Amino acid sequence: MNVLYKFTDNNGSFIFPKADKIRSLYFPLCNKKILSSITPYLCGDIKSGQDAFLMPPVSRIDLINSKVSRNFWIYIDKDKLWSATGVSKDLKAIKEDKFTLEAGLLWHKITRENKRIGLRSEILSFIPSSGEPVELMQVTITNISPKKISFIPTAAIPMYARGANNIRDHRHVTSLLQRIILHKFGIISKPTLSFDESGHKPNKNYYFILGWDEKGNAPQYLYPTQEIFCGESGDLEAPESILENSPLGKEKIQGKEPMGALRFRSIKLASGRFFSYIIVMGITQEKSDISGVIKKFKNLKRIKVSLEETKRFWLKQANAVSVSSRNEDFKNWFRWVSIQPVLRKIFGCSFLPDFDYGKGGRGWRDLWQDCLGLILSGSKEVRSILINNLSGVRPDGSNATIIGKKPGEFVADRNDISRVWMDHGIWPLIAIELYINKAHDAEILFERTGYFIDQHIFRSRKINRNLKPCKYKGTVLEHLILQNLTQFFNVGTHNHIRLEGADWNDGLDMAGENGESVTFSAMYAGNLKKLAQLLRRSGRKKIKLFSAMKLLLKPCNYNNIKAKQEILEAYFTAVESGISGRAISFDCVLLIRDLEEKARWMTEYIRRKEWLDQGFFNGYYDNQKRRVEGKVNGKIRMMLASQVFAIMSGVTTDAQIKKIIASVEKYLFDKKLGGYRLNTDFGREEHNLGRAFSFIYGDKENGAIFSHMVVMYAYALFIRGFRKEAQAALESLYRLSVNSPKSKIYPCLTEYFNAEGRGMYSYLTGSASWFVLASAV
């Protein structure tokens, strides 16, 4: 296998000698209080949330263009200046540097060695698993020359110290809010306000960059603003204070862009000797945390203890789910995949450079899929998480789409748009069924939790801003039945479930009026059958459901589209003011029969109407009510998702699965890259289906090798008994990932691979949970 990095132990640690040649590489560091991204040049950012960034927020392109880094300058004389991170205008020195990156779970170390300068730097970075709101940086400078060397070291980290929105919205105005505190060990900034024109709030955050040498000595000088540090003619890559070796002047410091620039005393190192510095970067609302951090990390011994503790913590997370393989490299790679669900629980979907959208939190689908990994790891907290998550369901069967960090913290939409994703009712049952099977805890079905009430009713087609919180609590089983049963009636012109805002494929978002998703109609059929099975296994003779749900259990001609739509409208009307609180008993035998009849009808209907002569299923109808897949204008159109969920749900027969596998290999397998594409090239934009087809083909939701769908394809094949083909699909993703000359990523599973085979959107992808699940089948 052609790789740019090499694993160095059995704990996922690796060495990547040429990581500095790939400017878009980034690495996650985190605990529950502080989140960082870091690159081979120590660029990236540090934040505690959307409204609190210590360093400026970065996107992928900023990693290439930005001058902002956790820099560490060495001044020997006016002709010998050196950036120990490689962020300077001295391209000659950078080319002379011998670079190596080493990293592991979750620590990061870069080494630069410059023979002309006569020094080697080792910069270790990690965030302590013990929970302090800081990123720690240990810089060790070694004299590799035969002579003594005197130098002046300066840590130089630009501080942003405010919310992400202000990167463009009132950037200068918000700098006027900065109030800088000169501390013995560094710089603290506590802005006066959290600036937001919809409502300013007093700022509570202290942003700080502190440092001391290995003997506990404080910096000799501080440069508290970027203006003072860089000067009028300099910048972060060539600051005047370093070029001219000038100490602090008497300029005004308040209301300026703050700078964590800490100049230490001159030091003389004999040949072969080394000396270290500790830099602490953090955000807190408790000023006492700052003194606590200084005390805890005051010397190298304590840094070492914290590092080993952090390594043990993340290794435990990685080993919570093991995999059997003779390939040691695969097992090491799998350790990184195993921690990805944990990383997404901490980061959400917004706080790494590729994930430059949203305002924190996770989406509804993300929430449930991340639970798969937690269930398999045997997490003790997962039961309460599952129950709490269901309190995001609305009485109309839809749900909140964004989930915050705190239990019960739900938001309708990250952009405050009235919309719903039609697949959202699928995922809770998948996670809860897995939990029941793994924990042997069917009683979770009868635990009670509340419902989410906001202004959105009738599946976000109407607004009522006068609704009050719901006091009623229903069982977990009631929530699951509600989400799946309402969707049975939510059909379009072809009697399949309406596409609404989109389904799993967010790129199918332009068919809200008339679009239909056969793909997830199949999954709802499978879910209705599973609910019947769970109810039968429970042994209950009667269960209670809130009274309005009886409308969804009335006899109905399932072929009559209008009748189904009228039942749904009647139900929506009954719950538009919330749930009355009155529950009534339902006979389980009759309820099981009803669920199974609906599942059977949907399965047979899809098989009869949507199986194509080309040997695969059609999965969609567009906004003009036209079938999307098959042979269109002489060209084959096929989407992987349409086949995956037909297989996973049980809608397909074994004979159909064999034909689907052949069609997937023929139309979707990219022989050059060795992976399965999300769809064939439709050859044109599809404004009656979604934005995906306006992307260049081979990227994102338009024909990329999308890890999530490939993994679910493998899982679907596993559970249907096609193990050889399933294993081949999983192995294709592993090969794509570790082919680092093309993928250009660290060990992990990315969201997708583009047309060049480059891995995109590292770490925070639901595909990791599904990979772990598929590997455990």
Side-chain angles (χ1 to χ4, degrees):
M1 186 67 69
N2 189 13
V3 294
L4 297 177
Y5 58 81
K6 181 181 179 181
F7 288 111
T8 56
D9 58 23
N10 293 323
N11 298 332
S13 305
F14 61 92
I15 185 169
F16 199 145
K18 295 184 178 180
D20 61 323
K21 305 303 181 186
I22 306 174
R23 294 299 294 254
S24 59
L25 276 172
Y26 59 84
F27 188 87
L29 300 172
C30 65
N31 59 31
K32 291 182 179 180
K33 293 181 181 178
I34 208 84
L35 319 170
S36 293
S37 61
I38 193 167
T39 77
Y41 291 86
L42 305 196
C43 301
D45 57 24
I46 303 171
K47 59 271 171 184
S48 61
Q50 174 71 4
D51 299 320
F53 277 73
L54 175 63
M55 295 173 70
V58 296
S59 296
R60 169 183 281 260
I61 194 66
D62 297 318
L63 302 181
I64 300 168
N65 295 333
S66 178
K67 300 176 182 181
V68 174
S69 79
R70 305 157 175 84
N71 214 335
F72 197 88
W73 290 93
I74 300 293
Y75 179 91
I76 298 175
D77 58 45
K78 64 183 180 64
D79 297 318
K80 280 191 176 182
L81 311 172
W82 188 50
S83 167
T85 66
V87 181
S88 80
K89 281 189 166 63
D90 189 349
L91 299 181
K92 180 181 177 182
I94 295 171
K95 288 180 179 179
E96 291 172 344
D97 286 352
K98 181 182 177 182
F99 174 89
T100 301
L101 178 142
E102 300 168 75
L105 301 165
L106 280 181
W107 57 272
H108 180 279
K109 184 171 78 171
I110 64 166
T111 301
R112 282 185 176 272
E113 183 176 298
N114 191 298
K115 289 185 177 179
R116 180 176 63 84
I117 298 294
L119 296 174
R120 179 175 64 242
S121 68
E122 292 181 351
I123 304 180
L124 168 72
S125 301
F126 69 99
I127 290 177
S129 61
S130 47
E132 289 79 13
V134 294
E135 179 186 314
L136 301 173
M137 189 166 99
Q138 178 182 310
V139 183
T140 301
I141 305 297
T142 303
N143 182 356
I144 60 171
S145 76
K147 300 178 181 180
K148 291 182 179 180
I149 297 179
S150 295
F151 62 87
I152 299 171
T154 304
I157 301 104
M159 298 172 70
Y160 174 69
R162 47 202 186 267
N165 291 341
N166 300 133
I167 196 70
R168 185 182 179 280
D169 185 11
H170 294 292
R171 175 71 189 258
H172 172 256
V173 169
T174 51
S175 72
L176 303 178
L177 305 174
Q178 299 288 343
R179 296 297 182 268
I180 295 169
I181 303 166
L182 300 180
H183 187 279
K184 175 184 177 182
F185 290 107
I187 306 297
I188 303 171
S189 184
K190 187 176 187 290
T192 52
L193 288 177
S194 178
F195 190 94
D196 183 346
E197 288 187 300
S198 65
H200 305 306
K201 297 178 181 177
N203 168 63
K204 296 180 180 179
N205 290 317
Y206 293 89
Y207 302 87
F208 58 93
I209 295 177
L210 310 173
W212 44 89
D213 67 23
E214 64 178 44
K215 296 181 178 179
N217 296 315
Q220 184 179 22
Y221 298 115
L222 303 174
Y223 303 94
T225 72
Q226 291 184 42
E227 191 175 297
I228 293 172
F229 180 68
C230 294
E232 292 293 340
S233 64
D235 60 25
L236 292 170
E237 292 182 326
E240 285 185 12
S241 59
I242 300 296
L243 297 176
E244 298 175 6
N245 190 28
S246 58
L248 177 65
K250 296 183 179 181
E251 292 89 344
K252 293 181 179 179
I253 65 173
Q254 304 303 345
K256 306 281 188 177
E257 293 285 354
M259 183 77 194
L262 287 53
R263 172 172 157 161
F264 295 91
R265 293 183 181 278
S266 177
I267 184 171
K268 182 180 289 187
L269 283 183
S271 177
R273 304 298 292 177
F274 54 87
F275 198 76
S276 296
Y277 302 86
I278 297 168
I279 310 298
V280 177
M281 300 157 279
I283 306 169
T284 183
Q285 293 189 357
E286 300 295 332
K287 195 173 183 180
S288 59
D289 284 349
I290 297 174
S291 56
V293 162
I294 295 170
K295 184 177 180 180
K296 180 164 185 177
F297 302 110
K298 192 64 184 293
N299 58 51
L300 297 180
K301 183 179 179 180
R302 293 182 181 182
I303 295 290
K304 184 178 180 180
V305 168
S306 180
L307 175 63
E308 294 306 315
E309 182 182 76
T310 299
K311 287 181 177 180
R312 287 193 299 272
F313 172 85
W314 285 106
L315 184 60
K316 183 179 179 181
Q317 306 300 310
N319 289 339
V321 180
S322 59
V323 64
S324 177
S325 175
R326 295 179 180 178
N327 185 335
E328 291 299 325
D329 282 347
F330 174 77
K331 289 197 287 188
N332 268 316
W333 177 81
F334 187 79
R335 287 184 174 90
W336 286 96
V337 177
S338 296
I339 68 164
Q340 286 183 223
V342 182
L343 292 177
R344 191 159 73 163
K345 185 181 177 185
I346 294 172
F347 277 91
C349 295
S350 302
F351 294 131
L352 284 178
D354 276 321
F355 299 82
D356 53 353
Y357 55 85
K359 300 175 182 178
R362 289 174 289 169
W364 181 260
R365 198 182 302 122
D366 309 325
L367 186 75
W368 293 99
Q369 292 178 136
D370 291 349
C371 283
L372 301 177
L374 296 175
I375 293 165
L376 291 171
S377 70
S379 169
K380 294 180 180 179
E381 62 178 348
V382 73
R383 190 181 198 268
S384 60
I385 290 173
L386 292 170
I387 296 168
N388 173 71
N389 289 352
L390 277 175
S391 59
V393 175
R394 295 189 184 98
D396 64 6
S398 65
N399 51 267
T401 63
I402 297 297
I403 290 79
K405 288 186 176 182
K406 300 175 183 177
E409 186 180 359
F410 299 104
V411 181
D413 185 89
R414 67 162 50 96
N415 296 311
D416 199 26
I417 300 171
S418 296
R419 57 180 171 178
V420 290
W421 279 258
M422 63 81 60
D423 66 303
H424 278 185
I426 293 297
W427 310 107
L429 179 56
I430 291 175
I432 289 172
E433 182 192 33
L434 178 66
Y435 169 78
I436 290 171
N437 292 337
K438 291 292 181 182
H440 306 290
D441 179 17
E443 286 303 306
I444 191 176
L445 292 171
F446 302 99
E447 296 289 348
R448 293 186 173 273
T449 192
Y451 284 88
F452 177 59
I453 302 292
D454 63 355
Q455 71 269 29
H456 300 289
I457 57 176
F458 285 73
R459 290 188 69 85
S460 292
R461 288 189 281 115
K462 295 184 180 181
I463 297 290
N464 183 348
R465 300 188 184 280
N466 298 316
L467 293 175
K468 296 180 180 179
C470 180
K471 295 182 180 180
Y472 172 80
K473 291 186 176 182
T475 63
V476 165
L477 181 60
E478 178 186 88
H479 286 71
L480 296 174
I481 292 173
L482 173 66
Q483 283 206 294
N484 288 274
L485 200 53
T486 49
Q487 284 293 71
F488 176 80
F489 297 96
N490 187 23
V491 294
T493 305
H494 301 89
N495 214 351
H496 300 297
I497 300 173
R498 296 177 57 242
L499 183 54
E500 299 177 310
D503 63 8
W504 171 89
N505 189 337
D506 294 335
L508 306 182
D509 59 350
M510 297 172 73
E513 294 81 15
N514 299 310
E516 295 169 68
S517 175
V518 182
T519 302
F520 279 93
S521 294
M523 283 299 286
Y524 279 106
N527 269 16
L528 290 171
K529 184 177 180 179
K530 286 181 180 179
L531 285 167
Q533 292 169 344
L534 287 173
L535 194 51
R536 183 178 285 114
R537 283 167 54 188
S538 76
R540 303 281 177 118
K541 293 183 178 180
K542 290 183 180 292
I543 63 166
K544 286 191 173 184
L545 305 174
F546 64 81
S547 58
M549 288 183 68
K550 66 185 178 183
L551 296 171
L552 302 173
L553 296 166
K554 290 172 59 177
C556 170
N557 178 359
Y558 299 155
N559 292 301
N560 189 328
I561 295 170
K562 186 177 179 182
K564 290 166 80 172
Q565 292 171 341
E566 287 175 349
I567 286 173
L568 188 63
E569 288 299 305
Y571 171 75
F572 284 166
T573 301
V575 297
E576 66 177 315
S577 298
I579 299 172
S580 66
R582 189 170 69 90
I584 57 178
S585 292
F586 287 83
D587 184 281
C588 287
V589 172
L590 297 178
L591 182 54
I592 289 168
R593 184 184 304 161
D594 183 87
L595 295 172
E596 288 181 334
E597 285 177 356
K598 286 179 168 65
R600 189 180 305 114
W601 180 88
M602 293 178 79
T603 298
E604 293 173 355
Y605 185 80
I606 293 170
R607 285 177 182 171
R608 187 172 70 254
K609 294 287 187 179
E610 303 303 336
W611 179 254
L612 304 174
D613 293 340
Q614 288 78 23
F616 55 88
F617 278 97
N618 168 58
Y620 295 95
Y621 287 88
D622 69 13
N623 217 32
Q624 292 189 348
K625 307 179 183 180
R626 299 172 302 189
R627 176 175 278 171
V628 170
E629 293 175 79
K631 197 167 187 178
V632 180
N633 297 325
K635 194 172 186 177
I636 292 294
R637 291 183 170 190
M638 181 182 182
M639 302 174 77
L640 184 57
S642 307
Q643 319 317 314
V644 167
F645 294 112
I647 296 169
M648 191 185 297
S649 64
V651 164
T652 53
T653 64
D654 283 357
Q656 287 173 329
I657 293 176
K658 291 177 182 179
K659 291 181 178 179
I660 287 172
I661 290 170
S663 295
V664 168
E665 294 294 328
K666 181 177 181 180
Y667 299 119
L668 296 177
F669 186 72
D670 185 315
K671 293 180 181 178
K672 183 180 178 182
L673 293 177
Y676 297 90
R677 292 196 175 279
L678 196 56
N679 55 272
T680 56
D681 187 357
F682 283 25
R684 68 183 190 191
E685 292 186 74
E686 294 291 335
H687 294 172
N688 287 296
L689 186 56
R691 69 177 188 244
F693 301 96
S694 296
F695 299 147
I696 190 72
Y697 182 69
D699 242 284
K700 210 64 166 100
E701 290 98 343
N702 188 17
I705 298 172
F706 223 90
S707 301
H708 203 163
M709 193 52 61
V710 176
V711 174
M712 288 194 283
Y713 178 52
Y715 177 75
L717 292 174
F718 271 129
I719 63 175
R720 295 297 300 273
F722 292 80
R723 298 192 67 84
K724 180 181 176 182
E725 294 83 356
Q727 191 62 41
L730 284 186
E731 288 177 0
S732 72
L733 288 177
Y734 170 64
R735 289 193 299 271
L736 283 162
S737 298
V738 299
N739 185 9
S740 48
K742 280 192 173 181
S743 65
K744 295 177 173 60
I745 55 174
Y746 294 132
C748 71
L749 183 59
T750 59
E751 182 181 277
Y752 72 92
F753 298 88
N754 67 14
E756 292 82 43
R758 187 177 198 126
M760 302 293 292
Y761 294 70
S762 293
Y763 303 108
L764 309 183
T765 164
S767 56
S769 287
W770 279 93
F771 197 102
V772 172
L773 177 61
S775 300
V777 175

